[in-house]
Amino acid sequence: MPQFFVNRPIVAMVIAIITVIIGLVSMARLPVAQYPNIVPPQIQVNATYVGADALTVEQSVATPIEQQVNGVEGMEYMYSVNANNGSMTLNVFFGVETDPTDDQILTQMRQAQANSQLPSPVVEYGTTVQQSTSAPLLLFALYSPDDTFNSLFLANYAYINLNNELARLPGISNVAIFGAGQYAMRIWGTPDQLAKLDVTAQEIINAVKQQNRVNPVGKVGAKPVPSGQEFAYTVIGEGYLTTVEEFGEIVVRANADGSILRLKDVARIELGAQNYNVEGRFQGKQAAIIALYQTPGSNALDAAASAQKLMKDLAERFPPGMHYTELLPMQAKIADKITVLRSMRQTAGGHPAGSMQMLSGDPDTRDNPQPRLPDWMTVTNYLRSQEGPRTNPLPAYVGINPPLEYNGPAYLGDAYSPFTVHGDPNSPTFSEPNIGLSEQN
């Protein structure tokens, strides 16, 4: 077969040209949903070491996990973020050709190998391994315009009534709620009492763990029993402690003389927030911020639309005085970007409205422009580079023939800059009305 094309080069060239044309036509008509993935799958490993600072978390939690996860099959690179609230987040990135589910399983297997090297409080708290992205897909603010509810109530309402519903949506990998945190029983030790009675914080922790638990009691009348016993009764014991008074009765120490030291004798107990590291605000009001993270490989538009529809339905059950708003309308940005690029592609491809040509910056080619598809990367790089006053010259020439005017938003790359293209072949203009840019070539 190779000899056939060597002896007939014209046939080989014709087949090659036909193949290229078919490829270009297919590429122009290929639906966006069938484009190959360009975002590498990301797996997040989260762990918490309560009470530890960032350096302690790095040395005792992040380092052992990184040593085990390093080199997992298909991994490209990874990095970890350690905070002073005891949290550790390890982000592991894989090649675009890998399957996110397989990546998660492989990462979890490697992470489990590090459990023996982690501090026991970290293992007891739990380590999660999930598919996620670094930046949220959507942000919702749950707030009370008339200050009927504080941030603690709003955050707990979101945890109880919204978190599970949103997490079940297709395309949503994780739901994070930022604000006052969940309700928790706060135990504030009194330093002078603790010192006088020689009580340590670890003694209090051990007492709470031992006495705040569910104890299986068993049954009464279960077999084997003497004849005549007809019924068996399940004995239900007391479960977890729920009130301040119940926690106050926890026995910290029983002395030899028969006296008992209770938790309320050495600490102040109250129902408060689990932590006070983060506080949510929206327009000056206390709020709970709900962040939705996309599953790698899923459709961002479908996931965002499902979340918006669900939030609209859930809002009908909100108590009076509670409202929500969307803070990050990513769906609109993506949809407008696709619409603008599709319109420009149609224009460049011979649409009756005219044809747009993007030329290189070589002055010798201005008089004889060669039509081709717009070099959107040139425009994107230009918009990205303009963070201050727009004084740099436009690094491309826009030729429009016949006269064409296009007004509308365009979201190119990471830029969010509504711009206008208008003019005629002799004086094309590229402008950004919101910023005051007007470059003419």
Side-chain angles (χ1 to χ4, degrees):
M1 182 62 70
Q3 191 63 33
F4 175 83
F5 291 105
V6 171
N7 297 333
R8 298 167 179 81
I10 297 178
V11 175
M13 288 188 290
V14 170
I15 294 177
I17 293 173
I18 293 176
T19 304
V20 172
I21 293 175
I22 293 176
L24 293 175
V25 173
S26 301
M27 181 178 64
R29 297 178 176 273
L30 185 67
V32 176
Q34 297 185 16
Y35 282 7
N37 291 327
I38 59 174
V39 179
Q42 177 181 348
I43 306 299
Q44 277 190 353
V45 181
N46 298 286
T48 302
Y49 194 176
V50 179
D53 61 278
L55 182 60
T56 302
V57 173
E58 176 192 356
Q59 295 174 347
S60 60
V61 181
T63 300
I65 294 179
E66 289 176 352
Q67 290 175 346
Q68 296 298 330
V69 174
N70 184 39
V72 64
E73 182 180 354
M75 188 194 80
E76 296 288 343
Y77 65 96
M78 65 180 180
Y79 68 90
S80 63
V81 179
N82 309 294
N84 280 324
N85 62 356
S87 64
M88 187 280 301
T89 301
L90 174 64
N91 296 282
V92 187
F93 293 85
F94 292 81
V96 294
E97 72 281 355
T98 61
D99 181 76
T101 303
D102 294 340
D103 298 337
Q104 180 180 2
I105 295 173
L106 294 173
T107 304
Q108 189 164 7
M109 293 173 59
R110 289 294 191 94
Q111 180 275 323
Q113 298 175 7
N115 284 342
S116 60
Q117 306 174 41
L118 300 178
S120 57
V122 177
V123 179
E124 293 176 2
Y125 198 96
T127 305
T128 61
V129 181
Q130 59 188 5
Q131 303 176 29
S132 187
T133 53
S134 300
L137 174 67
L138 288 175
L139 284 176
F140 295 104
L142 195 65
Y143 66 102
S144 179
D146 53 1
D147 292 328
T148 304
F149 308 107
N150 58 18
S151 57
L152 180 57
F153 179 90
L154 294 170
N156 277 272
Y157 185 91
Y159 274 112
I160 297 171
N161 299 283
L162 306 180
N163 183 48
N164 292 335
E165 297 281 350
L166 293 171
R168 284 195 292 265
L169 292 175
I172 301 300
S173 65
N174 183 33
V175 178
I177 299 175
F178 304 100
Q182 302 184 63
Y183 278 115
M185 196 64 67
R186 306 287 301 188
I187 302 175
W188 305 91
T190 307
D192 54 345
Q193 286 292 99
L194 294 174
K196 183 170 62 176
L197 299 173
D198 194 22
V199 178
T200 64
Q202 191 60 45
E203 283 186 76
I204 296 178
I205 293 174
N206 294 336
V208 172
K209 286 183 178 180
Q210 293 173 3
Q211 299 175 48
N212 182 33
R213 55 187 299 180
V214 177
N215 298 303
V217 181
K219 291 184 177 182
V220 175
K223 293 183 178 181
V225 294
S227 59
Q229 180 67 37
E230 298 181 358
F231 300 99
Y233 300 94
T234 300
V235 180
I236 301 177
E238 292 187 2
Y240 292 111
L241 307 179
T242 57
T243 65
V244 173
E245 291 74 17
E246 291 176 348
F247 274 88
E249 296 298 324
I250 291 179
V251 177
V252 178
R253 180 187 297 167
N255 299 317
D257 58 2
S259 60
I260 296 177
L261 180 63
R262 301 186 184 275
L263 186 58
K264 62 184 179 181
D265 300 328
V266 293
R268 176 172 56 89
I269 308 168
E270 65 178 8
L271 184 63
Q274 187 176 26
N275 62 74
Y276 295 93
N277 298 322
V278 180
E279 183 179 5
R281 290 278 178 177
F282 174 70
Q283 295 181 347
K285 304 288 186 181
Q286 297 188 54
I289 309 302
I290 307 171
L292 277 64
Y293 293 86
Q294 181 187 358
T295 303
S298 62
N299 189 303
L301 290 177
D302 292 344
S306 301
Q308 291 166 343
K309 181 179 182 300
L310 179 60
M311 282 297 295
K312 185 177 180 180
D313 296 338
L314 294 175
E316 298 177 357
R317 305 201 298 262
F318 285 178
M322 182 183 296
H323 298 273
Y324 86 96
T325 186
E326 185 178 349
L327 302 179
L328 188 64
M330 185 62 66
Q331 182 191 21
K333 293 184 181 181
I334 298 174
D336 289 343
K337 176 179 177 180
I338 293 176
T339 301
V340 169
L341 294 180
R342 183 181 293 123
S343 300
M344 289 302 184
R345 185 177 66 178
Q346 292 175 352
T347 301
H351 193 272
S355 62
M356 171 175 283
Q357 304 138 15
M358 185 71 72
L359 311 178
S360 66
D362 185 2
D364 296 336
T365 62
R366 297 187 199 178
D367 298 331
N368 262 333
Q370 298 298 321
R372 62 188 180 90
L373 289 177
D375 184 4
W376 288 114
M377 187 56 66
T378 303
V379 180
T380 301
N381 293 335
Y382 170 71
L383 294 176
R384 286 178 176 173
S385 66
Q386 304 303 302
E387 297 180 356
R390 305 303 180 96
T391 57
N392 295 340
L394 185 67
Y397 299 97
V398 181
I400 303 172
N401 185 24
L404 165 70
E405 182 165 342
Y406 171 79
N407 293 276
Y411 308 94
L412 304 176
D414 295 334
Y416 174 20
S417 302
F419 73 89
T420 303
V421 179
H422 55 87
D424 56 56
N426 299 320
S427 59
T429 302
F430 180 97
S431 62
E432 289 182 90
N434 285 359
I435 307 177
L437 171 70
S438 182
E439 296 285 345
Q440 186 166 339
N441 297 294

